[in-house]
Structure formats: structure tokens, C-alpha cells
Amino acid sequence: MHGAHGGHAGHDMGVVAGLPMADRADDRDGLRLDRLHVPLGPALADWPAGLILRVALQGDIVQQVSAEAEGSASPYPPFWDEPWLRALSGERVSHGEAARRLCAAHLDSLGRFFAVTGWTDMAARFRHVRDRALAGADAAELRGLLRPLIRRAERSRTLRWLTAGLGPLTAEHARHLGVTGPALVADGDVHARMRVWLGAAWRGADECDDTEALDTAQVIGPRGRVDGPVPASLALLDALPGLLEGAEFAGARIIVASLDPDLDELAHVPAVGMAHG
């Protein structure tokens, strides 16, 4: 499965000793600067599995981006979407089971996010709570583990300074791109998306003991609608180039982590919209 997103073509380049040669182009000040082509992924640590970004840099500024999904079609449902897909197929799934999976998915994304921002202790703590959620810990335990972590994350001035204003995505533009999940709700920058994840993880933890049947009219998985015309993560891939172009390279991985597309969603529906430009 291969898809290109954002409508930005790559440029021919030479290779010396396995490294791309730089070419030249005008930067924003009209100067002629080296332009370096850098592939990111698909196997970086704390990186969405299977994602490849082909980035053109001038200095430390991202000038052009194309996004590709590497992998093959799979008959298996995406792990994070599985409760909603089972419910849509007619199986009885409890609201608590879906809430638990949603909580764990957001904790998984938060672990990746904090690792990329350099807050490794926080990343490890969120991953521990994720593992407890997947192991069946009850709502009381999960709330007790999450409460101090959410408080620390929301009160961190350093984290706000690092992420505020980075990768802004308005709700209007997100809706235009077909984004239906947390990035749409956030209606803002990287920091806003992180806060939406924190709130959703808390609600998922609080509701994970609910035995009522899942309402299939509300099939919103971790990345967005599970029953949409295209996978929710495809819209996130389409959003990436616009968020990354013009950003400093140092912030690129943080922007990617704040969307955290799940490429297993694309592998599960290979017949729908695998290439957008």
C-alpha cells in the first residue's frame, strides 16, 4: 500500500556516499540556500509505524513535504478501532470496553508525544497507565494513576512554551480535510491537541467499567469516525503537509506526534482512497 498526500512532488537529487546532495532554492528572505531532501521514517523511534515523510529543508525550515504510507493490506482490523468495528458488525460490545480501548489509545499517543518532546519520565508514566488499562485495571485505579499526570502536563510552563503556536489546525480547516477526531475537537495547535487527548483519556478511564451496550450511532474511535467514507487517519495524513511546511525542522516530529495517524487504519481498507494529491 502506497499513498501520496498533500500534492507536493519530490525533486530529483544526487546521492554521494549514501547521502542526498543539496540543491539550491530561494528562502523566505530571497537568499539562495541549500535545499536538503530528508526522508523521515518509517522506523524511527516514537514514530507512527509505516509513515514516511519526504521533507525538503532550507536551513532549518521545512519547505515541502509529501507523506506516504508503507505497508500491505491486512485482513485484521486496526487494534485501536476494533471494539467499534465489532459493534458495527452487529456484535454486542460494552461502552466500557470501547472507553477502555479509547483511553489506552490516547495514552499510547501521549506516551509517544512526551517522548518526542524530550519528557521521557512523563512518557514512561503514561505508557505504564496505558498498560494497566489494557490489562483490565478498573476505573478507580486508572483515575488515581492519571490524575497527577494530567495535572503535571497541563501545568507545565516548559511544555506550553515548547508547543504553543506549533502546527495550528483550525476546526474549519480540519473539517474541510475530513478530520473527525481529536484534532477537529482541539481547534488549535499542538498543545491544544495534547489537552484534548488528556481529557479524552480521563473520560475513557472514568467510563471503562460501564456495562451498557455501545451506541453504534457514536462510532468515534481514537483518530475519528470509524464508519466514515475513508479512514480517519487518511485525513490526518492529508493535514500533515500543510502543518509542517514553514515550520522549523526541530518542531516537525512534535507536530507529527500531535496527530499520531494510525496507518493500520489504511491497511484495513485498501480499496478506499489510498492516494490523494
Side-chain angles (χ1 to χ4, degrees):
M1 173 183 63
H2 297 275
H5 304 267
H8 296 280
H11 295 261
D12 293 334
M13 55 186 163
V15 176
V16 176
L19 298 175
M21 295 174 60
D23 57 13
R24 288 185 178 269
D26 292 334
D27 79 343
R28 292 177 297 186
D29 298 320
L31 301 176
R32 298 286 287 179
L33 296 178
D34 287 343
R35 180 165 55 191
L36 181 65
H37 300 267
V38 180
L40 299 177
L44 291 172
D46 301 305
W47 182 261
L51 174 63
I52 302 174
L53 292 184
R54 303 193 185 279
V55 178
L57 296 173
Q58 287 179 257
D60 63 348
I61 302 298
V62 176
Q63 293 291 328
Q64 292 180 316
V65 182
S66 65
E68 301 174 9
E70 181 180 83
S72 57
S74 170
Y76 302 105
F79 175 75
W80 297 120
D81 292 346
E82 182 254 349
W84 295 271
L85 293 173
R86 284 168 42 216
L88 287 171
S89 72
E91 182 178 339
R92 188 189 189 280
V93 176
S94 73
H95 178 81
E97 181 182 353
R100 179 181 299 278
R101 191 66 60 91
L102 189 74
C103 173
H106 290 321
L107 294 174
D108 186 68
S109 295
L110 285 161
R112 215 167 356 260
F113 174 79
F114 287 116
V116 169
T117 62
W119 202 350
T120 55
D121 172 66
M122 197 66 138
R125 290 175 182 271
F126 271 97
R127 286 165 172 162
H128 171 69
V129 186
R130 173 204 62 192
D131 293 345
R132 292 300 301 142
L134 292 174
D138 63 17
E141 178 184 345
L142 294 177
R143 286 195 302 263
L145 291 170
L146 271 177
R147 186 176 290 108
L149 299 184
I150 292 174
R151 186 179 300 116
R152 284 184 67 192
E154 290 185 334
R155 293 181 178 179
S156 172
R157 293 182 180 179
T158 300
L159 184 65
R160 181 178 292 276
W161 172 83
L162 181 66
T163 60
L166 188 63
L169 178 63
T170 65
E172 180 181 4
H173 189 51
R175 196 173 292 109
H176 172 74
L177 293 170
V179 174
T180 57
L184 171 64
V185 176
D187 187 22
D189 57 15
V190 163
H191 196 267
R193 292 193 284 275
M194 178 210 66
R195 294 196 62 176
V196 168
W197 277 343
L198 292 173
W202 175 263
R203 289 189 297 275
D206 193 48
E207 298 168 4
C208 70
D209 295 336
D210 188 341
T211 59
E212 294 293 322
L214 180 65
D215 181 2
T216 54
Q218 298 293 326
V219 282
I220 305 294
R223 272 76 181 181
R225 292 200 67 88
V226 175
D227 61 345
V230 296
S233 288
L234 185 60
L236 297 179
L237 289 189
D238 286 339
L240 266 176
L243 298 188
L244 292 172
E245 289 167 5
E248 293 185 0
F249 184 63
R253 289 200 62 186
I254 299 176
I255 294 172
V256 173
S258 75
L259 292 181
D260 197 25
D262 179 7
L263 272 63
D264 284 348
E265 291 186 337
L266 278 66
H268 185 56
V269 283
V272 180
M274 286 298 97
H276 282 240

